[in-house]
Amino acid sequence: MADTFQILIDGHEAIAHEGETILDVLRRQQVETPTLCTHEHLTPAKACRACVVELMGSRALVASCERKAEPGMDVRTDSERVQNARRGVFELLLSQNDVSTAPALAAQAESLGADPGRYRGQRYEKGFFDDNQLYVRDYDKCILCYRCVEACGPDVQNTFALTVAGRGFDAGIAAGFGGALPDSACVFCGNCVAVCPTGALMDRREHNLRAEGRWQEDRYDVVQTTCSYCGVGCQLELHVDRESNEIVKVTSPMDHSITHGFLCVKGRYGYSFVEAGTD
Amino acid sequence: MHESVLLRRQTTPALDLGSYLASGGLAGLKKAREIGAAETVRIVTESGLVGRGGAGFPTGRKWDSVRTASDPERYFVLNADESEPGTFKDRVMIDVDPFLVLEGVLIGSFAISATRAYIYVRGEYRREADLLQRCAKELEAAGYLEGLGPEGRALEIEIRHGGGAYICGEETALFRSIEGYRGEPMSKPPFPTVAGLFRKPTAINNVETVANVPDIVTRGASWLRSLGTERSPGIKLYSVSGNVERPGVYELPFGTPLRELLELAGAHDLQAILLGGAAGTFVFPQDFDMPLSYEAAQERHATLGSGALIAFDHETNLWRVAERLGSFFAHESCGQCVPCRVGTRRQHEMLEALADGHGRGSERDLLARLGQVMTDASICGLGQTASTAVRSLLDAEAKGLLAV
């Protein structure tokens, strides 16, 4: 094929396709690469720096999620610089965030050998916002990955209710002009919740169940169905508690050709009618 | 004794077009029009002029790639968002010779056939912004903008005010700011010459850089090369402050020994200087004989940066200075990437502990380790250089060079 070329990954030749990022190639080559902010359906925010690689000839490390592969690139993922930088990113996050609902982050930190106690200092305390019926925002858990901003904005929903406000360590996600969600442009599609990697954004039912100590992943079956509201045909995954027969959460598969994982307020949150009339 | 070029109108500033013309102004623009854009760019390239904002990229190469870009829409941007601590030479440059700066902008815009020229002025430089605005209007009214744009159209000049963020001096964040977005840097590549302002080919230059251009065009490339060193041709403005008798802006040819600049400014018995601004390095008396050139600085793992020089006497606690620098970076980080957003805060906390004398003993090792993470993994120059001064201080302390 004319649009493929070779690059070097840790000294081994690998095939890259025109338009692919370095991360795409790494994943196909099954080179384990930590990621936090990048998401298959969102513009790379290149903000977390977990996926940095050493590109020979480039002064600083580059974010593999964003940088397009080019013919002849010599990429190193196993160098001391790369390992040190990746570990550093996780150690910095562990020094500021509550990661209790971010198992993927914690697992990646551990596999990199990140020391949670390396850095001490001020925690990220942006507060807990419980201002609507459908989801809660616990910004102490926010790592500012920009996924929610992109999902709310031009990548998915085009609602632009969420943005980044403030700067430096004080930067944070804000709705509207920093007020409550119902006062912002939010349409409560919950697509921000769907892409949040740390549980900073959480559906109300999940939040309530966790608060009551009743959130038990191992009891939930995933039931595939099609949304009954309109004719688009969105694929739904109903997470059903097999003991109580309650729906605890609704999602959509990220690889579904219609939804790409994204839903509207009705599909994601309008499910209580299913349980109406049952005890 | 070096005869001033950039600051030649310092004693009698030309603040109206009439006096600028009377003192030989706009000769560079006239010559550029005669020889054409391609030849103008060739002369600037040959002169060896590199950016004076800190990064030192060859100006002619920048202009040539925009000039030859296929996209007919392209921009010229003057970066007057001077925000590096201890740097004030661009403000003085504008104050004493606003038309020289604008002439540089006109020549640059003509050379790349710019659709429009933007002048992005630091928010606090209200007076300078007003001055440039008034002078640009005078030039426009007198017809000097005619024929500089693409296909012989008149050049449009637009002045923009910064909102008080250091990060907006970083070129890609500056573009975002002009476009109306949050000032956050973008990844390079693509470089501004390919996809800059509004994703169009853009030449962005520092105030001091463009102030060199009229004389280069008038006097020829060999003129600039007759000054300075082989690898650093020309002259440089230095902003000198701190424990000196005569703080101010000094103009010197490259290669002048640092000691000579210190003597000019009236420095005696210093403990150290901070060279290159907050993102620069501490330099100690043992290196005061170093020539002020890009290559000599590089050999000593130092940087001229924007040409800022802050002097410290033996009474100064340099860890306190580092703590103030750390506070600056933590305040100015945009917050986009983890290494810089969290790293600058952690760095400042540790520097505070060291300056206050209640460290836990592990700070020095951790600062070096954290500095490497920030340098390697941050998106832009802010995070990449936020630990440079701190690490140079750690080295100096290990060598026993600190007085307090």
Side-chain angles (χ1 to χ4, degrees), chain A residues 46-49 60-61 66-67 81 92 95-96 118-122 143-144 146 164 166-169, chain B residues 164 182 184-185 187 189 331-339 341 345-346 349 360 366 369 376-377 379 384:
Chain A
K46 36 92 177 160
C48 75
R49 318 306 282 180
L61 303 180
E66 183 193 43
R67 188 65 177 267
R81 272 181 87 194
L92 287 169
S95 78
Q96 67 154 4
R118 177 93 59 200
Y119 300 105
R120 295 186 205 175
Q122 194 188 341
I143 58 167
L144 226 65
Y146 287 64
V164 178
R167 64 192 204 182
F169 197 78
Chain B
R182 188 179 154 81
E184 287 181 346
S187 300
H331 180 66
E332 296 296 346
S333 167
C334 78
Q336 186 182 190
C337 68
V338 173
R341 179 178 76 241
R345 174 58 64 107
R346 295 290 171 261
E349 288 164 347
R360 293 189 289 141
L366 269 181
R369 186 188 181 104
D376 281 340
I379 293 175
Q384 288 166 10

Side-chain angles (χ1 to χ4, degrees), chain B residues 166-250:
Chain B
Y166 173 68
I167 191 59
C168 289
E170 195 281 337
E171 53 195 20
T172 60
L174 190 154
F175 297 151
R176 299 287 290 170
S177 173
I178 291 179
E179 291 164 8
Y181 294 103
R182 188 179 154 81
E184 287 181 346
M186 297 178 281
S187 300
K188 293 184 274 191
F191 290 95
T193 52
V194 177
L197 183 59
F198 300 111
R199 308 312 263 169
K200 298 293 178 186
T202 303
I204 175 163
N205 291 108
N206 170 260
V207 169
E208 181 187 348
T209 312
V210 302
N212 276 277
V213 168
D215 287 285
I216 292 171
V217 174
T218 317
R219 307 195 205 185
S222 55
W223 163 74
L224 197 75
R225 289 205 173 269
S226 72
L227 300 163
T229 68
E230 199 189 330
R231 286 168 60 199
S232 303
I235 45 190
K236 179 82 193 85
L237 297 179
Y238 298 94
S239 316
V240 184
S241 62
N243 297 127
V244 295
E245 286 169 8
R246 293 175 292 278
V249 175
Y250 292 85

Side-chain angles (χ1 to χ4, degrees), chain B residues 221-291:
Chain B
S222 55
W223 163 74
L224 197 75
R225 289 205 173 269
S226 72
L227 300 163
T229 68
E230 199 189 330
R231 286 168 60 199
S232 303
I235 45 190
K236 179 82 193 85
L237 297 179
Y238 298 94
S239 316
V240 184
S241 62
N243 297 127
V244 295
E245 286 169 8
R246 293 175 292 278
V249 175
Y250 292 85
E251 177 187 321
L252 292 170
F254 281 107
T256 307
L258 169 57
R259 193 177 297 283
E260 206 174 305
L261 174 58
L262 291 172
E263 279 164 13
L264 281 171
H268 307 289
D269 197 23
L270 296 180
Q271 180 185 184
I273 60 161
L274 179 64
L275 183 63
T281 55
F282 287 97
V283 176
F284 289 81
Q286 57 182 31
D287 283 323
F288 280 1
D289 286 320
M290 77 178 258

Side-chain angles (χ1 to χ4, degrees), chain B residues 320 349-363:
Chain B
R320 178 57 65 195
E349 288 164 347
M350 287 190 271
L351 289 168
E352 241 177 348
L354 285 179
D356 293 347
H358 56 64
R360 293 189 289 141
S362 56
E363 281 83 3

Side-chain angles (χ1 to χ4, degrees), chain B residues 56-379:
Chain B
F57 190 83
T59 307
R61 256 172 60 198
K62 206 182 257 188
W63 289 9
D64 200 45
S65 46
V66 179
R67 192 184 72 81
T68 55
S70 58
D71 199 320
E73 203 177 327
R74 63 278 294 270
Y75 298 103
F76 189 92
V77 178
L78 179 70
N79 187 346
D81 191 46
E82 184 176 53
S83 317
E84 189 66 37
T87 308
F88 42 86
K89 45 107 186 164
D90 289 343
R91 186 185 60 190
V92 169
M93 188 67 244
I94 295 168
D95 282 345
V96 306
D97 213 344
F99 282 101
L100 183 67
V101 175
L102 286 173
E103 188 180 350
V105 171
L106 300 193
I107 295 172
S109 302
F110 171 67
I112 64 158
S113 193
T115 325
R116 180 179 283 196
Y118 285 90
I119 298 181
Y120 190 93
V121 189
R122 176 178 173 165
E124 290 86 344
Y125 286 6
R126 197 80 215 179
R127 184 179 59 171
E128 285 69 26
D130 290 347
L131 183 59
L132 289 170
Q133 181 80 67
R134 183 176 61 72
C135 296
K137 288 271 177 235
E138 278 191 57
L139 286 165
E140 188 185 4
Y144 285 102
L145 307 193
E146 297 297 328
L148 295 178
E151 293 161 6
R153 289 200 298 273
L155 178 71
E156 291 175 42
I157 298 181
E158 189 171 332
I159 311 252
R160 291 294 189 97
H161 300 266
Y166 173 68
I167 191 59
C168 289
E170 195 281 337
E171 53 195 20
T172 60
L174 190 154
F175 297 151
R176 299 287 290 170
S177 173
I178 291 179
E179 291 164 8
Y181 294 103
R182 188 179 154 81
E184 287 181 346
M186 297 178 281
S187 300
K188 293 184 274 191
F191 290 95
T193 52
V194 177
L197 183 59
F198 300 111
R199 308 312 263 169
K200 298 293 178 186
T202 303
I204 175 163
N205 291 108
N206 170 260
V207 169
E208 181 187 348
T209 312
V210 302
N212 276 277
V213 168
D215 287 285
I216 292 171
V217 174
T218 317
R219 307 195 205 185
S222 55
W223 163 74
L224 197 75
R225 289 205 173 269
S226 72
L227 300 163
T229 68
E230 199 189 330
R231 286 168 60 199
S232 303
I235 45 190
K236 179 82 193 85
L237 297 179
Y238 298 94
S239 316
V240 184
S241 62
N243 297 127
V244 295
E245 286 169 8
R246 293 175 292 278
V249 175
Y250 292 85
E251 177 187 321
L252 292 170
F254 281 107
T256 307
L258 169 57
R259 193 177 297 283
E260 206 174 305
L261 174 58
L262 291 172
E263 279 164 13
L264 281 171
H268 307 289
D269 197 23
L270 296 180
Q271 180 185 184
I273 60 161
L274 179 64
L275 183 63
T281 55
F282 287 97
V283 176
F284 289 81
Q286 57 182 31
D287 283 323
F288 280 1
D289 286 320
M290 77 178 258
L292 290 166
S293 67
Y294 293 114
E295 62 274 17
Q298 202 178 3
E299 270 170 39
R300 288 161 181 81
H301 303 289
T303 169
L304 297 187
S306 56
L309 191 161
I310 309 178
F312 302 105
D313 62 19
H314 291 274
E315 310 295 304
T316 312
N317 178 352
L318 294 183
W319 281 113
R320 178 57 65 195
V321 175
E323 183 271 315
R324 297 316 303 152
L325 298 176
S327 163
F328 171 79
F329 283 117
H331 180 66
E332 296 296 346
S333 167
C334 78
Q336 186 182 190
C337 68
V338 173
C340 182
R341 179 178 76 241
V342 192
T344 54
R345 174 58 64 107
R346 295 290 171 261
Q347 175 173 267
H348 181 233
E349 288 164 347
M350 287 190 271
L351 289 168
E352 241 177 348
L354 285 179
D356 293 347
H358 56 64
R360 293 189 289 141
S362 56
E363 281 83 3
R364 287 172 173 78
D365 287 347
L366 269 181
L367 279 169
R369 186 188 181 104
L370 172 61
Q372 194 61 47
V373 174
M374 288 197 283
T375 303
D376 281 340
S378 297
I379 293 175

